[in-house]
Amino acid sequence: MNVIACYKIVPDEQDIVVNGDRTLSLDKAALKVGQYDLNAVEAGAQLAEASGGKLTVLSAGGAEAENSKMKKSILSRGPQENFVYVSPAMAGADAGVTAKVLCEAVKKMEGWDLVLCGEGSSDLYSQQVGIQLGERLGLPTLNAVSKITDAGDGKVIVERSLEDEVEVIEVVLPAVLSVTSDINITRVPTMKEILAAGKKPTTVWKEGEIPAFAPLMETVSVLAPQETERKCVVVEGDDGDKIAQFCQLIKAELQ
């Protein structure tokens, strides 16, 4: 089985600084591959290894998508090849634009059976790219996938963990699946794998090689939540009087 796993380069949230006006500073934030995308890459690697197939990874972004350290980071986790679309227009692109670009990129790639996405990106987490990508490709599309088993004959068995049950579905390939973070534990690359990653091929597409798409949304501002001091009022006990006192305190705060 040949698999394409989509990934995104994002700023490390541990390095993001909240300014006094609640805006976010990314000046000191290191780059990393989104954690949810690593689950998709690991799932793809396991499927490809078990079936004797190939795992290819695909990304679209701004200048960060060409970062050599990030290329080694992703290629050291099982993929044999990396494809990247680089355009300034992709910096901060919304889910709709990202899905359209990935759709055009996937159409340029040959010999694949399955496209995997993480449940959402580590920065925006809209949980829309995988669903929109599958719809644009006209393929069977499922999200919230917690297990994938190769059933042979061009099919996979998919498990989806719902609120109070596990749904088991047979999916005919090709298909697009968005996996949850509990589908696997991502591998930690060895030094040998990291060194070998530098020799694996990366294909870079520039503007003009993939159609440009105008965004349908505009981000006006991104602000951290307003900080508020807690009241630290504790009502101990569970009798009627204590419950009534607790309710009165809440009513007073809401007025």
Side-chain angles (χ1 to χ4, degrees):
M1 182 187 303
N2 295 329
V3 183
I4 298 174
C6 301
Y7 72 97
K8 184 178 182 180
I9 304 299
V10 298
D12 193 327
E13 60 273 9
Q14 296 183 354
D15 300 331
I16 297 175
V17 176
V18 179
N19 300 317
D21 59 358
R22 295 167 53 205
T23 57
L24 305 180
S25 173
L26 307 180
D27 295 343
K28 297 182 180 180
L31 296 174
K32 70 173 188 176
V33 178
Q35 182 58 47
Y36 303 112
D37 300 326
L38 290 179
N39 293 117
V41 173
E42 178 63 30
Q46 292 179 12
L47 286 168
E49 290 164 1
S51 63
K54 177 182 178 181
L55 172 62
T56 303
V57 285
L58 169 65
S59 185
E64 72 282 352
E66 285 193 280
N67 184 286
S68 59
K69 184 178 179 180
M70 293 299 99
K71 289 179 184 177
K72 282 189 177 181
S73 176
I74 196 69
L75 286 169
S76 64
R77 299 174 185 272
Q80 284 79 53
E81 194 169 3
N82 181 31
F83 285 82
V84 179
Y85 172 63
V86 181
S87 169
M90 292 303 300
D94 58 46
V97 169
T98 301
K100 290 176 183 177
V101 167
L102 291 178
C103 176
E104 295 300 321
V106 168
K107 289 178 180 178
K108 291 169 71 71
M109 303 166 71
E110 299 179 350
W112 53 271
D113 304 295
L114 180 65
V115 179
L116 296 179
C117 297
E119 61 183 279
S121 62
S122 294
D123 51 357
L124 301 179
Y125 197 67
S126 66
Q127 297 182 285
Q128 289 293 309
V129 172
I131 296 172
Q132 293 189 40
L133 173 59
E135 176 66 21
R136 292 190 173 280
L137 289 170
L139 297 177
T141 304
L142 292 170
N143 65 346
V145 173
S146 54
K147 185 177 181 180
I148 308 171
T149 304
D150 185 0
D153 296 324
K155 300 175 182 178
V156 292
I157 303 297
V158 166
E159 292 186 11
R160 302 176 72 236
S161 299
L162 306 181
E163 187 172 342
D164 55 357
E165 63 186 4
V166 175
E167 183 179 51
V168 181
I169 305 172
E170 183 180 78
V171 182
V172 177
L173 302 178
V176 178
L177 305 177
S178 296
V179 303
T180 62
S181 57
D182 58 355
I183 192 171
N184 52 46
I185 297 175
T186 59
R187 68 188 67 188
V188 178
T190 64
M191 181 57 67
K192 181 180 180 181
E193 289 170 328
I194 294 172
L195 293 174
K199 300 178 182 179
K200 294 181 179 180
T202 292
T203 298
V204 179
W205 293 311
K206 298 290 188 177
E207 285 185 313
E209 295 181 86
I210 287 180
F213 299 95
L216 298 177
M217 297 188 299
E218 178 185 357
T219 301
V220 177
S221 65
V222 178
L223 300 175
Q226 181 71 52
E227 292 187 7
T228 304
E229 291 187 11
R230 297 184 181 274
K231 297 294 182 180
C232 296
V233 176
V234 179
V235 178
E236 297 184 0
D238 57 2
D239 57 50
D241 291 340
K242 295 296 184 181
I243 293 174
Q245 180 185 354
F246 179 71
C247 292
Q248 285 300 122
L249 289 169
I250 293 178
K251 285 182 180 180
E253 291 298 326
L254 294 176
Q255 290 175 352

